[in-house]
Amino acid sequence: MRLLHTMLRVGDLERSLAFYSEVLGMRLLRRKDYPAGRFTLAFVGYGDESDTAVLELTHNWDTTAYDIGTGYGHIALGVDDIAATCDAISGKGGRVVRPPGPMKHGSTVIAFVEDPDGYKVELIQLSTRPDAAA
């Protein structure tokens, strides 16, 4: 068994694809419209679906916004240089909502950015992680 993907419902697919590809550097792996169901699925990620987990962006054609809810946490990305990554994200129009710094009650350096729909994406400084269970 392995993790295949995480699905997010997005209000504007083109805006979300621009964020995940141009701001976070993922690539569009596949996209398919389902006219009978009035939705589109787009899969983005850093590697092939055959060996890495990816994000499924689901766009329901008649819905432009969603309530995120209290159960959603965040997506996490490991980065080599968190300060430079945050600067690059800001430079591309991304929104850094928590600047880099140690996590509360710990030493792992993290930051948070927000996608166009308000989903949080955690950035984790890989070189300073004391362990994988942070």
Side-chain angles (χ1 to χ4, degrees):
M1 234 182 290
R2 72 177 185 87
L3 182 64
L4 297 177
H5 66 262
T6 296
M7 185 269 268
L8 299 176
R9 295 184 197 285
V10 299
D12 179 331
L13 183 58
E14 298 310 316
R15 179 185 69 184
S16 293
L17 286 172
F19 175 80
Y20 284 100
S21 63
E22 296 168 20
V23 177
L24 294 185
M26 294 182 188
R27 64 184 169 94
L28 177 62
L29 303 169
R30 62 186 167 106
R31 175 181 178 159
K32 185 171 181 183
D33 292 329
Y34 294 84
R38 301 192 50 72
F39 68 94
T40 301
L41 300 182
F43 291 81
V44 297
Y46 294 110
D48 293 328
E49 289 178 85
S50 60
D51 53 24
T52 61
V54 301
L55 286 178
E56 173 190 328
L57 304 177
T58 298
H59 176 241
N60 293 294
W61 299 353
D62 302 315
T63 305
T64 58
Y66 291 93
D67 293 327
I68 294 176
T70 59
Y72 175 78
H74 59 268
I75 298 161
L77 303 176
V79 300
D80 292 323
D81 184 338
I82 199 164
T85 301
C86 285
D87 288 344
I89 287 170
S90 293
K92 294 176 182 176
R95 188 167 168 233
V96 177
V97 295
R98 193 250 197 221
M103 63 182 273
K104 189 175 184 178
H105 309 296
S107 61
T108 302
V109 177
I110 63 170
F112 278 90
V113 300
E114 198 171 81
D115 87 351
D117 289 281
Y119 293 111
K120 300 291 189 285
V121 179
E122 180 183 23
L123 305 176
I124 301 172
Q125 177 74 42
L126 293 175
S127 62
T128 59
R129 285 187 73 191
D131 61 67

